[in-house]
Amino acid sequence: MADSTKILTAEAESQLLQPIDDYVGAIQQKIDALRADGTDRVIELRDNIDNLKRDRIYTKEEKDAKLKAYQEALEKAKAVEAKNKDEIARLIADAKQYLKEHFNTDYYLAVKESAKEEKVLARENYQAAVAQLTREHQAALAKLSDSREVKDEKYVHKNRLFDAKMQLAKDLQQAKDRRHAAVEHKYHMIDLLRMSKFTFGEKMAQRWENYRYTFNRRDFLLRNGLYLAIIVIFAALCILTPMLKGGTQLLTVTNVLNILQQASPRMFLALGVAGLILLAGTDLSIGRMVGMGMTAATIVMHAGPNTGSVFGHIFDFSTLPVLLRVILALVVCIILCTIFTTIAGFFTAKFKMHPFISTMANTLVIFGLVTYSTKGVSFGGIETTIPEMIIPRINGVFPSIILWAIAAVAIVWFIWNKTTFGKNLFAVGGNPEAAAVSGISVFWVTVGAFVLAGILYGFGSWLECIRMFGSGSAAYGQGWEMDAIAACVVGGISFTGGIGKISGVVVGVFIFTALTYSLTVLGIDANLQFVFSGIIILVAVMLDCLKYVQKK
């Protein structure tokens, strides 16, 4: 039962808040008076100076004269600001101490308790309303015999139940709003006192409050349900592995580093295709590009003359310095991958061809060319000194290849979030027609996304070649496109376009690599691992579609 004595009226709540507003308001008036000729004047003069520098209606002499006057006034205002600084700080400390001592005990706790009781009362009223509607409905049905009238009565009853449920939601939201408004009022007063300069703790407290206020269980499960399920699966694997493998532990430092090491080259591939998925596209040629890049890099960095030929010619780069061969291999990988992604991007952008088709064509062309030119043979290993030179283990333990992946994540994050191209990428992915109307070149943004993907594919295949000590062949990388695409989808890059974060890609890559590694350690057949991957992809896309439908 709700305790009506604890439910505050608007007038009672106002009376509780009044002493706090009066005390802090009086301090705020003193602070405003001290800031008038100091801080406020400094801000005003700086704005005037910035506007004057951009203003073109004055001559140079007039501008210099005004600037000098502003600078003199600014120095005086700064002097006043410095003079009043300690007094303002004392007044702010006084107000904050008062809020600390009185806000919760004299006001907020009463509002919080009132909101709690309002929710209880709202649910009781809802249950009573449903019971009353049910009685009325049953009484009405007892008087009816015509099937059409019975059907109409059931329809009316259903609508009345829906109205009662909407009223419950409205009442619960009002109680929620009341408590949230009370918390926000405290930070509003601090905002005025400190001119929006919050401490780290205050910022975190506001974020937590906003999260609590906007939290929706259904939305939370749609966004994070798959992650929660995977965490449960991974936890189960951690428990089962020692039981089935004679005490072998899955969650060890060595295993974690191995997972990160395996994930690093794949991170480049996922980051590349993420930009294409952001445009509501995809790329089916990633695996074949990895095979092409691995083959090219192995040929350039091969230990001694190559054992295989390309179009009948045997290459020998062993006479070149090792570092030069490493750089040359990287350049060749990037150029080859970028050429093919650019071709796919051109056809996609110019002829509105779906990336599924253009990249599928790339897949066939690349595999056919590499297999035909090399006769499908493996080119053996690279110089044994190269891995230690490019991706050494720091202190003999930490794989430095992880640092390459971190650098790639940082660079792509910067491109997505801090450049015009990145903003245009989201705009075109969200609504290409609107982006075109606003002056964005959809063609060049699309081609640019494919070019960026090619560069990342080249880096990824080069790193994978070094990690695996060569062994490049056309067949290497088969199926990697599915892993890269799946990692992006699991990480929240929406196939509907324009939605996604780099952090999601990182999480997706780690999830898939960790799952594959865990299943391998557990001894699960490689073919069954595809089943797990397929189920995860299906669920991830289903949740993405549900979010899209809800948004629409």
Side-chain angles (χ1 to χ4, degrees), residues 37-64:
D37 296 326
T39 303
D40 293 346
R41 183 65 175 155
V42 168
I43 294 172
E44 178 187 354
L45 288 168
R46 283 175 175 168
D47 289 341
N48 290 341
I49 291 172
D50 289 339
N51 292 333
L52 180 63
K53 289 178 180 179
R54 292 192 296 267
D55 207 331
R56 298 184 179 182
I57 65 173
Y58 298 109
T59 63
K60 186 178 183 304
E61 292 76 14
E62 291 174 332
K63 186 177 288 189
D64 290 342

Side-chain angles (χ1 to χ4, degrees), residues 153-446:
E153 170 58 28
K154 289 182 178 179
Y155 179 77
V156 170
H157 177 64
K158 184 178 179 180
N159 285 339
R160 286 174 178 171
L161 289 176
F162 179 79
D163 290 340
K165 190 174 183 180
M166 290 297 99
Q167 184 61 46
L168 171 64
K170 180 181 177 182
D171 293 341
L172 292 176
Q173 186 63 42
Q174 285 178 346
K176 191 176 181 181
D177 291 344
R178 189 175 197 177
R179 188 202 62 79
H180 178 69
V183 177
E184 286 297 297
H185 188 74
K186 175 183 177 181
Y187 290 107
H188 173 66
M189 289 189 286
I190 296 175
D191 182 24
L192 294 176
L193 289 169
R194 302 186 61 181
M195 301 181 72
S196 302
K197 295 179 180 178
F198 295 102
T199 64
F200 176 78
E202 290 166 348
K203 289 179 180 178
M204 292 299 102
Q206 287 184 83
R207 287 186 180 181
W208 172 244
E209 169 58 28
N210 290 331
Y211 178 78
R212 285 181 60 192
Y213 178 65
T214 58
F215 178 80
N216 181 282
R217 187 183 292 106
R218 184 172 184 272
D219 290 342
F220 177 80
L221 291 176
L222 279 176
R223 289 194 305 268
N224 304 295
L226 182 63
Y227 295 149
L228 296 174
I230 290 174
I231 290 173
V232 171
I233 293 171
F234 190 70
L237 290 174
C238 291
I239 296 171
L240 289 173
T241 301
M243 297 169 58
L244 300 177
K245 290 296 177 180
T248 301
Q249 296 293 328
L250 181 61
L251 200 60
T252 64
V253 173
T254 301
N255 285 342
V256 170
L257 290 178
N258 287 338
I259 290 170
L260 294 176
Q261 184 179 12
Q262 289 183 16
S264 295
R266 295 169 185 263
M267 189 69 70
F268 285 82
L269 309 180
L271 290 171
V273 76
L276 307 185
I277 297 176
L278 206 63
L279 294 176
T282 187
D283 191 344
L284 300 181
S285 63
I286 298 173
R288 296 311 182 189
M289 288 202 189
V290 171
M292 176 178 64
M294 283 277 290
T295 301
T298 302
I299 290 172
V300 176
M301 297 186 292
H302 194 268
N306 279 280
T307 54
S309 63
V310 180
F311 291 112
H313 181 75
I314 297 177
F315 289 91
D316 182 8
F317 294 92
S318 59
T319 57
L320 297 176
V322 174
L323 183 59
L324 180 60
R325 292 164 62 190
V326 170
I327 296 173
L328 179 61
L330 174 61
V331 172
V332 170
C333 286
I334 291 175
I335 289 176
L336 287 174
C337 291
T338 304
I339 287 174
F340 283 100
T341 56
T342 303
I343 293 172
F346 174 80
F347 278 94
T348 299
K350 182 68 175 178
F351 302 104
K352 309 301 179 186
M353 186 183 294
H354 197 283
F356 182 93
I357 301 300
S358 58
T359 59
M360 182 176 65
N362 259 355
T363 301
L364 300 174
V365 171
I366 292 170
F367 184 68
L369 282 176
V370 176
T371 305
Y372 175 76
S373 62
T374 63
K375 306 302 181 185
V377 301
S378 175
F379 280 78
I382 62 174
E383 290 283 357
T384 55
T385 57
I386 292 177
E388 186 61 30
M389 179 192 306
I390 305 301
I391 51 171
R393 283 185 174 267
I394 301 172
N395 294 328
V397 177
F398 185 81
S400 60
I401 190 173
I402 298 172
L403 302 179
W404 286 86
I406 292 173
V409 169
I411 292 170
V412 178
W413 179 91
F414 180 83
I415 293 173
W416 276 28
N417 297 280
K418 300 297 180 181
T419 67
T420 302
F421 171 74
K423 294 172 183 176
N424 291 345
L425 194 66
F426 280 92
V428 173
N431 192 329
E433 291 79 12
V437 171
S438 64
I440 298 173
S441 174
V442 177
F443 175 86
W444 286 113
V445 169
T446 303

Side-chain angles (χ1 to χ4, degrees), residues 438-483:
S438 64
I440 298 173
S441 174
V442 177
F443 175 86
W444 286 113
V445 169
T446 303
V447 173
F450 275 90
V451 170
L452 178 60
I455 294 172
L456 290 166
Y457 298 161
F459 257 104
S461 58
W462 175 74
L463 271 179
E464 180 66 9
C465 177
I466 295 174
R467 187 181 77 87
M468 295 300 294
F469 289 81
S471 301
S473 69
Y476 198 94
Q478 182 177 0
W480 280 34
E481 63 277 358
M482 293 298 105
D483 291 342

